[in-house]
Amino acid sequence: AQSVTQLGSHVSVSEGALVLLRCNYSSSVPPYLFWYVQYPNQGLQLLLKYTTGATLVKGINGFEAEFKKSETSFHLTKPSAHMSDAAEYFCAVSVAGNQFYFGTGTSLTVIP
Amino acid sequence: DSGVTQTPKHLITATGQRVTLRCSPRSGDLSVYWYQQSLDQGLQFLIQYYNGEERAKGNILERFSAQQFPDLHSELNLSSLELGDSALYFCASSAFPGQGIYEQYFGPGTRLTVT
């Protein structure tokens, strides 16, 4: 069975500080991993994805994530937070594209 | 703009009623997924269709049903509505599962309020 755990439902960082959003997954097969962002009153937007190959994945808006198989993790990072990064972030795992399992989300607050 | 459209944007109805939510996937996408997002349950996968056929089922209640039509648009039917069905309902589409992993593109959602 596949599942995703996002540690910390709320994260607050100061503007300019490092953003770290944690995601751990459970998968019985090689996982395909995704991070999505949701701004208020909007749908989810893909930030980045890992399928195969390079384990460090770069996405939009300066975000990146590293797939660590030994730790079953796919944490999302950004070196310097911007006010516009305030949003809800979802980690997801997919099994052969047929079904996506989403984490419960992490709400990011950026403090000026 | 993801290219996925959903109508209506907002829907207010009474308990016991039936509603239909509509989704048009991105041009060329064969798969459609439906999700329910509520404050207490988070983002829950409901059901997936691929090229008109049901492909996967998640936490979808028996009072809910969906279908995908030959033109690939999809409808989610919710009946005997209860207060707890109030939520945001998202549709997402992707290209073709099984030939590489294609990310999902989400629509803007339909906000359903049951009174």
Side-chain angles (χ1 to χ4, degrees):
Chain A
Q2 285 68 37
S3 67
V4 172
T5 302
Q6 290 185 241
L7 296 174
S9 57
H10 298 275
V11 170
S12 293
V13 299
S14 297
E15 191 175 13
L18 171 71
V19 176
L20 171 60
L21 304 182
R22 298 177 187 274
C23 172
N24 287 88
Y25 68 91
S26 171
S27 177
S28 56
V29 297
Y32 298 94
L33 298 158
F34 305 81
W35 274 100
Y36 284 84
V37 61
Q38 184 181 27
Y39 297 103
N41 301 312
Q42 294 187 28
L44 280 69
Q45 178 184 359
L46 181 71
L47 271 179
L48 49 81
K49 66 178 179 180
Y50 168 79
T51 54
T52 59
T55 56
L56 182 62
V57 180
K58 294 186 185 300
I60 61 172
N61 301 337
F63 285 93
E64 61 183 37
E66 186 170 11
F67 169 59
K68 292 188 176 180
K69 185 177 179 181
S70 61
E71 299 177 8
T72 61
S73 69
F74 191 58
H75 302 329
L76 182 71
T77 60
K78 182 174 180 177
S80 176
H82 191 272
M83 295 299 293
S84 61
D85 295 327
E88 187 90 14
Y89 291 80
F90 292 90
C91 182
V93 62
S94 171
V95 178
N98 283 337
Q99 193 160 335
F100 282 65
Y101 298 85
F102 283 83
T104 51
T106 297
S107 178
L108 176 66
T109 300
V110 182
I111 304 166
Chain B
D1 185 356
S2 67
V4 178
T5 61
Q6 289 187 250
T7 57
K9 192 171 183 178
H10 299 278
L11 197 50
I12 301 174
T13 189
T15 54
Q17 295 299 304
R18 173 190 170 94
V19 297
T20 297
L21 312 183
R22 182 188 169 103
C23 167
S24 292
R26 289 190 322 154
S27 176
D29 283 358
L30 299 179
S31 267
V32 169
Y33 308 75
W34 285 98
Y35 292 88
Q36 179 193 59
Q37 186 180 38
S38 59
L39 283 175
D40 55 342
Q41 300 247 354
L43 192 65
Q44 298 282 317
F45 167 71
L46 296 178
I47 197 164
Q48 178 203 359
Y49 278 82
Y50 167 66
N51 204 20
E53 299 290 327
E54 183 183 303
R55 188 72 177 246
K57 222 169 190 177
N59 301 322
I60 188 166
L61 300 172
E62 284 191 12
R63 300 183 285 109
F64 296 0
S65 64
Q67 55 183 327
Q68 186 179 26
F69 295 86
D71 67 353
L72 300 178
H73 91 271
S74 178
E75 293 181 354
L76 179 68
N77 300 296
L78 315 175
S79 61
S80 304
L81 285 168
E82 302 174 359
L83 295 178
D85 297 327
S86 296
L88 259 174
Y89 291 84
F90 286 107
C91 169
S93 73
S94 69
F96 178 49
Q99 285 190 349
I101 299 301
Y102 292 91
E103 60 268 26
Q104 297 183 350
Y105 291 86
F106 281 76
T110 292
R111 183 171 293 281
L112 174 66
T113 302
V114 182
T115 61

